Amino acid sequence: VGLTPAYICGIKGMLYYTDGDNYYFKRETAGEELKTDRLTRVVTDAMTRQETDDINIIYSGANNAYKSGDASEIIKVQTRMIEYSGSDRYIIIGFSAFRDKESLVAFNRTLEDHYGEHFLDFSSYLITDGFKDAGIEPTAEDLQNIADGRMPESFRRDAVHGNEIFDRLLAEQLYKKLTELGYITSNT
């Protein structure tokens, strides 16, 4: 998956993520090799165009939580993103998968306590109303996944990432939250 365009030390190119913990950068045009340190800032094209009237939707994802396991670290990163944007209109989507149910609930509760009305607890929604809204019945495996604090099999394409049903339900819940917060008006 590539992030386009991105700039490192003013050089435009494409940033790629591999299955490991490595990112690679490919210049848009050939040039001299440039060595940077590990803390060199990567600037995305969107970062060069701050729009203070934008609505920021931040979904850090399970990979971020697994690496730190600490909600306060995720909150620090998300808060910097919100501050950088210059907009006070944002939604933070809670985590849908974690190591175990207790950790998932505690992690999302910490995010909800911090962000208040800006927080979307999509994990709880999936368990309480997701199956009904998707028009499907939970399987035995789904119920076991829920008990274990994992995303139900019916909503995922791999261990932590959602499938097409998940994406549709998330879009519907985001629309609802955007309307509730007054960021958009309902046309229904």
Side-chain angles (χ1 to χ4, degrees):
V1 174
L3 180 61
T4 307
Y7 302 84
I8 299 177
C9 298
I11 299 169
K12 185 177 182 179
M14 179 96 126
L15 189 65
Y16 292 94
Y17 176 75
T18 64
D19 291 331
D21 288 331
N22 297 313
Y23 288 85
Y24 297 93
F25 181 77
K26 182 176 180 182
R27 290 172 178 254
E28 187 174 86
T29 57
E32 277 187 45
E33 180 178 330
L34 176 67
K35 296 206 185 245
T36 64
D37 64 34
R38 188 166 180 80
L39 299 177
T40 300
R41 184 175 189 170
V42 175
V43 178
T44 65
D45 191 51
M47 292 169 68
T48 65
R49 298 182 322 269
Q50 285 180 297
E51 303 288 342
T52 57
D53 60 343
D54 279 353
I55 301 167
N56 297 287
I57 298 173
I58 301 172
Y59 187 21
S60 296
N63 294 338
N64 301 93
Y66 282 119
K67 288 180 181 176
S68 76
D70 182 359
S72 66
E73 289 300 313
I74 299 298
I75 289 170
K76 285 179 191 174
V77 171
Q78 292 171 334
T79 300
R80 285 194 304 259
M81 293 167 75
I82 294 164
E83 289 170 354
Y84 183 85
S85 77
S87 175
D88 61 355
R89 300 185 326 153
Y90 65 91
I91 296 172
I92 301 293
I93 303 169
F95 288 81
S96 304
F98 216 73
R99 291 181 267 275
D100 57 72
K101 186 176 184 175
E102 293 76 25
S103 296
L104 174 66
V105 170
F107 203 93
N108 280 338
R109 187 175 307 121
T110 302
L111 292 175
E112 184 171 21
D113 289 347
H114 184 79
Y115 293 111
E117 70 179 357
H118 296 274
F119 179 74
L120 174 60
D121 189 354
F122 189 60
S123 176
S124 292
Y125 161 78
L126 282 177
I127 294 166
T128 59
D129 294 312
F131 290 99
K132 175 179 61 77
D133 290 352
I136 59 176
E137 290 293 323
T139 66
E141 187 171 1
D142 289 329
L143 296 174
Q144 185 60 53
N145 292 158
I146 292 167
D148 294 340
R150 292 182 295 165
M151 187 190 315
E153 177 80 23
S154 293
F155 299 131
R156 59 187 163 95
R157 62 181 160 86
D158 59 29
V160 295
H161 299 102
N163 62 17
E164 306 81 32
I165 298 169
F166 176 99
D167 292 342
R168 179 178 59 81
L169 294 173
L170 179 56
E172 290 168 0
Q173 291 305 299
L174 280 169
Y175 178 80
K176 182 178 175 184
K177 179 61 100 171
L178 288 162
T179 304
E180 287 172 4
L181 292 172
Y183 296 162
I184 61 172
T185 56
S186 175
N187 58 357
T188 56

